[in-house]
Each structure stands twice: as C-alpha cells, then as structure tokens.
Amino acid sequence: SRHHQLVKVISLHLLALSSPLLAARFLAILLDGDLEYTPDHELKVSLKTEQPEAVTTKLRDAGLLLLPAGDVVKIKACDFCDGDKRDPIPYAEQLQEKLGGLSVPKELKIGFNGCGMACYGAVTEDIGIVYRRKKFDLFLGAKPIGRNAHVGIPVVEGLEPSKLVPLVVAIVEQFRQEGLPNERFYKFFKRVQNIQGFMYQEVPTLVALEPDVC
Ligand code: SF4
C-alpha cells in the first residue's frame, strides 16, 4: 500500500552498528518493524507507517545509509581493511553518490574491493571493481548463484582512476536504456554482446546442466 515503505540499509555502514549506542538507537527507531539480514549483508527493514519519511529521516540522522528496496543499483564495497587502505574510498563514495539507489531493469550489484585480494568477492558481482597498484581492474557480467555460477569477464586491467566513475556510469546508463524489464545484467551482456565497447565472451560451462527450474 502507499503507506508501506520498505527501506534497506546497506552493509557499507553496518560497521557503525558495532557502537552499542547507535545499535540501541537503530532498534528503538524500528521498534514496530521487521528486520531481516540478507545474504548480501544488508539489513532489510519492513514496516507499516503513515509517515515513512519520519522513519527514514531518523535512520539517516543515526548515520545509516538507506537504499530503496527492489530493482536498484547497489554499491557493495569492502571495508578497506577497516579503513587502512583509504586511497580508493573516494571513488566508491562517488559511485554511491551518482548511482546508488538508481532504478534499473533488474537489481544491479556493483562490487568494489580495495586491493587485489578482492576478499569481499567483487568479481562475483554484476559489475566488479578491484583497486590494484593505484589503478582499477573491471569485471562485467558475473553470475553469482546457481550451479553454473561464474565470475565476471575481465574487460579492463589498469584503468586510470580518473576514468573509472564516468565509465561505470556509462555502463549503468546503457543497462538502464537498453535492458529489458527483469533482465539480469549477465543476460543483458550476452544479448547485446557489446557494452561500452567491451565485447561479450562465452563463459565455459564445466558441468552438464539441466535447465534451471526457476
Ligand atoms: S579487498 Fe583488500 S582492501 Fe578490501 S577488505 Fe579485503 S584485503 Fe582489505
């Protein structure tokens, strides 16, 4: 209903909840809501209210980052080794500012990892960004779930940092313009074959597969 506001709080700022005071405030705000912890390390909040803005304002004021639920862009950044590896953080923030929460044909996750360890699994997201030797590597079109799951296709190594944000914005814009309703990003890449000049490459299937049941 129009009174039913669903908000999501992404993991980037979840660390802040390790403060007992903030956690207590957060729970107090959500006293009447449902809270679900998702496989993407998000807190998904559902509650019925006549005044959704009053709730979202309180959550924002508590220092949390909110995203609308549904088919939107999500930036999934690592914790940059608890902030020790700071150099790439401004680029993650710019992407969040320009793209976070934007509506897309199907939910689009952009993984952003601060070093070549990529320990938060950026290469398994729809778009994967890895900072390495002061430059960026870019991966497109991973399929993160299912028996034929695969990582993204590496399309650029050693991208100049100044080119990262405009390129990722252009990729997302192409998906917004040309993607079919409900079309996942890896299927979109396979169908259009060319995203911003990067050509699709067939991913080898290593197991004999029956068709997906869902
Ligand atoms: S990906 Fe690299 S920078 Fe990010 S948390 Fe893991 S080890 Fe640290």
Side-chain angles (χ1 to χ4, degrees):
S1 82
R2 72 193 168 89
H3 296 315
H4 190 205
Q5 172 88 349
L6 191 61
V7 293
K8 287 185 175 184
V9 183
I10 72 165
S11 57
L12 193 64
H13 287 211
L14 203 57
L15 284 176
L17 287 183
S18 56
S19 148
L21 183 62
L22 185 52
R25 269 197 225 145
F26 178 68
L27 290 175
I29 293 166
L30 298 173
L31 211 51
D32 299 324
D34 286 336
L35 197 57
E36 182 192 336
Y37 186 59
T38 77
D40 286 326
H41 312 292
E42 298 167 318
L43 292 175
K44 189 160 136 190
V45 175
S46 309
L47 58 97
K48 284 185 178 163
T49 172
E50 302 279 322
Q51 296 172 308
E53 289 78 18
V55 179
T56 51
T57 301
K58 279 186 197 164
L59 290 171
R60 281 203 183 86
D61 287 350
L64 293 156
L65 180 60
L66 307 190
L67 284 182
D71 291 327
V72 297
V73 178
K74 294 181 188 174
I75 313 294
K76 291 178 65 182
C78 71
D79 67 17
F80 303 99
C81 288
D82 290 334
D84 284 350
K85 295 185 179 166
R86 301 200 59 77
D87 290 356
I89 293 177
Y91 300 95
E93 288 176 340
Q94 282 178 47
L95 288 171
Q96 172 62 35
E97 192 181 309
K98 288 183 186 297
L99 298 173
L102 222 55
S103 67
V104 274
K106 186 73 182 171
E107 181 185 49
L108 181 77
K109 295 175 191 162
I110 302 179
F112 191 112
N113 286 182
C115 79
M117 295 276 289
C119 74
Y120 273 58
V123 299
T124 63
E125 304 295 355
D126 297 305
I127 297 175
I129 298 165
V130 177
Y131 185 70
R132 196 172 55 88
R133 298 184 181 172
K134 301 191 183 302
K135 299 197 175 168
F136 287 103
D137 298 339
L138 183 65
F139 300 76
L140 296 181
K143 181 176 186 298
I145 55 172
R147 291 196 306 138
N148 55 350
H150 58 77
V151 300
I153 298 165
V155 293
V156 196
E157 270 191 341
L159 183 71
E160 286 300 329
S162 61
K163 295 188 174 155
L164 178 78
V165 174
L167 176 57
V168 176
V169 168
I171 289 169
V172 172
E173 195 48 40
Q174 185 177 346
F175 184 45
R176 278 161 60 86
Q177 298 293 331
E178 299 174 20
L180 302 174
N182 226 23
E183 185 176 40
R184 291 199 179 276
F185 187 74
Y186 74 89
K187 288 190 174 168
F188 168 70
F189 196 7
K190 187 169 184 174
R191 180 173 62 79
V192 300
Q193 293 284 309
N194 181 333
I195 296 179
Q196 297 301 308
F198 302 125
M199 298 308 296
Y200 178 79
Q201 296 160 33
E202 201 59 51
V203 178
T205 301
L206 301 177
V207 289
L209 292 173
E210 294 164 10
D212 288 345
V213 289
C214 60

